Amino acid sequence: MVATSATSSFFPLPSSPLYPTAKTNKVTTSTNFSGLSPTPNSARMKVKPNAQAPPKINGKRVGLPGSVKPDNETSSQHPAAPRTFINQLPDWSMLLAAITTVFLAAEKQWMMLDWKPRRSDVIMYPFGLGRIVQDGLVFRQNFSIRSYEIGADRSASIETVMNHLQETALNHVKTAGLLGDGFGSTPEMVKKNLIWVVTRMQVVVDKYPTWGDVVEVDTWVSKSGKNGMRRDWLVRDGNTGQILTRASSVWVMMNKLTRRLSKIPEEVRGEIEPYFVDSDPVLAEDSRMLTKLDDKTADYVRSGLTPRWSDLDVNQHVNNVKYIGWILESAPVGMMESQKLKSMTLEYRRECGRDSVLQSLTAVSGCDIGNLGTAGEVECQHLLRLQDGAEVVRGRTEWSSKTPTTTWDITP
């Protein structure tokens, strides 16, 4: 019974007509029943021609609606098509159209997927948050050099390079699952109102990327003394693998309420030590003393430098990269036009806030100030201080001649 019902949904079976099509014999005379008195002709029971017995459904008689014509009359006016196997098949057009639509949509999605096997030399996750590599201890992130990140010499600025370093450091903490509510602070650091502050930064730039280049930045952390952490960076060309920049830094903890340095609590140490890499610094430490400048020893002074609101980070102090820009504010323009910054050493001594007013001092050594445009190697001493004389950053930079670049004539 179930099989019959399922089959009939696709292949309709001929059903018994409610009205038989066989014609009955016509009755031409009236019939008188015995034992009944004759009645007038108007009262006699008449039998209609083509009369049919009421059909039965499930053994019960069913009345016929008077308005429905018998099948024999309908079939005589519109002859039914002969029943064949073909015209009893269901209409598959709608089902085939739906199946075709599904397959086309699936094929389009499949073609959009990158199903091809990746090669080891292909850059993965080109501009995402990066990923953990090398046994979960090194963080790697790629950056594309934008048009607003290059300077007049068509290469990336030192501030662009430093921003990439800072970004990878924060994303490293985030990807490792150690980011609390603070700016690079772990959950235990947040509980104890502790933040990281950089005390020393050393950077060596072998080559600056240009507009459109893709750089690959690796960073990792190591132990530094009893209460410090060292973070190193290695920047490569994303296409050739050539090393572009090496950087190393030392960080300590500070209480963000008292603004005083703090030891690393054991709870925090337990969070960060599993990520320490036992390796030498990517740069040998430059142990030369950084000179303290004053108004007499400085060759160039730039005063009245003030932070903007956009220069502050979430810890309400000036972003570390901004200090580099202020230091270079007092560097001679002639030197910056003809020389490129190849190395930098900074010592952060004090933080400054949004209401601070600063001075930038620079002293040039190793060449005559009047011949900076033709000098081969130039070394500069720097000092960034508050208006009251308190030191913020001491620094030293080394410069070398720029490689001549091709110029384009855009005159129509």
Side-chain angles (χ1 to χ4, degrees):
M1 183 68 179
V2 175
T4 304
S5 302
T7 305
S8 62
S9 63
F10 287 93
F11 300 97
L13 300 176
S15 58
S16 300
L18 292 178
Y19 307 102
T21 56
K23 295 183 179 180
T24 58
N25 295 329
K26 294 183 179 180
V27 179
T28 57
T29 59
S30 299
T31 303
N32 291 330
F33 295 91
S34 59
L36 294 178
S37 303
T39 57
N41 293 336
S42 60
R44 295 177 181 177
M45 180 171 58
K46 299 180 180 180
V47 179
K48 294 183 179 180
N50 301 328
Q52 304 175 16
K56 295 181 179 181
I57 298 179
N58 295 332
K60 296 183 179 180
R61 295 181 178 275
V62 180
L64 297 176
S67 60
V68 179
K69 293 183 178 181
D71 284 349
N72 59 341
E73 296 182 11
T74 305
S75 60
S76 63
Q77 297 177 3
H78 303 284
R83 294 180 180 272
T84 63
F85 176 77
I86 299 300
N87 62 19
Q88 291 188 68
L89 291 176
D91 187 3
W92 293 92
S93 59
M94 296 299 294
L95 180 59
L96 291 176
I99 294 175
T100 303
T101 302
V102 171
F103 272 97
L104 290 177
E107 182 183 13
K108 182 177 180 181
Q109 293 296 326
W110 176 255
M111 295 300 294
M112 293 174 64
L113 294 175
D114 186 11
W115 57 269
K116 297 180 180 179
R118 296 185 182 272
R119 305 197 324 256
S120 59
D121 58 339
V122 176
I123 299 177
M124 300 173 62
Y125 311 110
F127 309 114
L129 289 180
R131 65 195 187 280
I132 301 292
V133 297
Q134 297 185 15
D135 299 328
L137 299 177
V138 177
F139 179 78
R140 177 172 297 167
Q141 186 172 1
N142 298 326
F143 297 91
S144 177
I145 305 302
R146 311 297 182 182
S147 59
Y148 52 81
E149 295 176 325
I150 62 174
D153 58 354
R154 301 177 183 270
S155 62
S157 63
I158 186 62
E159 288 92 340
T160 296
V161 175
M162 299 302 293
N163 279 325
H164 290 168
L165 303 186
Q166 180 173 272
E167 184 69 10
T168 53
L170 293 173
N171 287 335
H172 183 193
V173 178
K174 181 178 182 180
T175 305
L178 294 177
L179 187 64
D181 296 333
F183 194 55
S185 299
T186 67
E188 287 296 330
M189 291 174 63
V190 173
K191 293 179 182 178
K192 301 179 183 301
N193 295 314
L194 296 175
I195 59 176
W196 288 110
V197 292
V198 60
T199 60
R200 186 178 179 87
M201 175 76 71
Q202 187 176 346
V203 182
V204 173
V205 181
D206 298 323
K207 181 182 177 181
Y208 287 92
T210 60
W211 176 32
D213 288 348
V214 175
V215 296
E216 181 183 78
V217 184
D218 286 358
T219 184
W220 60 94
V221 291
S222 304
K223 183 179 179 180
S224 178
K226 294 182 178 180
N227 290 292
M229 180 184 72
R230 190 185 78 241
R231 178 174 286 278
D232 293 339
W233 292 271
L234 194 62
V235 183
R236 298 184 181 91
D237 186 291
N239 296 321
T240 66
Q242 177 187 1
I243 296 178
L244 304 179
T245 303
R246 292 162 292 159
S248 184
S249 60
V250 177
W251 299 73
V252 295
M253 289 190 178
M254 183 178 74
N255 189 298
K256 68 178 181 179
L257 301 180
T258 63
R259 316 310 287 187
R260 295 181 179 275
L261 297 183
S262 171
K263 294 182 179 180
I264 300 180
E266 290 302 321
E267 296 84 354
V268 177
R269 193 181 302 275
E271 289 179 318
I272 62 177
E273 280 191 349
Y275 296 91
F276 283 176
V277 177
D278 186 11
S279 65
D280 296 329
V282 71
L283 286 174
E285 183 179 356
D286 187 354
S287 58
R288 292 178 294 171
M289 183 71 68
L290 294 177
T291 305
K292 179 180 179 180
L293 298 180
D294 53 29
D295 294 333
K296 295 181 180 180
T297 56
D299 298 315
Y300 302 90
V301 178
R302 177 71 182 274
S303 302
L305 301 175
T306 58
R308 297 174 299 177
W309 177 255
S310 59
D311 296 331
L312 304 179
D313 59 25
V314 297
N315 291 323
Q316 296 299 311
H317 66 225
V318 175
N319 189 291
N320 299 326
V321 178
K322 185 61 181 178
Y323 293 145
I324 300 173
W326 283 336
I327 285 174
L328 298 180
E329 283 289 334
S330 59
V333 176
M335 181 187 70
M336 299 184 67
E337 289 178 344
S338 60
Q339 309 285 323
K340 65 176 181 180
L341 177 61
K342 69 175 187 178
S343 69
M344 174 176 60
T345 302
L346 303 175
E347 287 184 359
Y348 294 85
R349 296 173 173 263
R350 186 187 303 269
E351 64 174 343
C352 62
R354 62 180 180 179
D355 298 326
S356 302
V357 180
L358 301 99
Q359 285 184 326
S360 177
L361 295 81
T362 297
V364 180
S365 60
C367 70
D368 186 4
I369 295 180
N371 297 323
L372 290 176
T374 58
E377 300 288 335
V378 179
E379 181 178 296
C380 296
Q381 304 293 328
H382 304 275
L383 176 65
L384 188 65
R385 66 185 184 186
L386 297 176
Q387 198 171 26
D388 59 5
E391 294 185 9
V392 177
V393 180
R394 284 190 190 183
R396 177 175 51 250
T397 57
E398 294 179 347
W399 305 72
S400 61
S401 298
K402 291 182 179 178
T403 303
T405 57
T406 304
T407 59
W408 291 269
D409 184 7
I410 60 175
T411 306

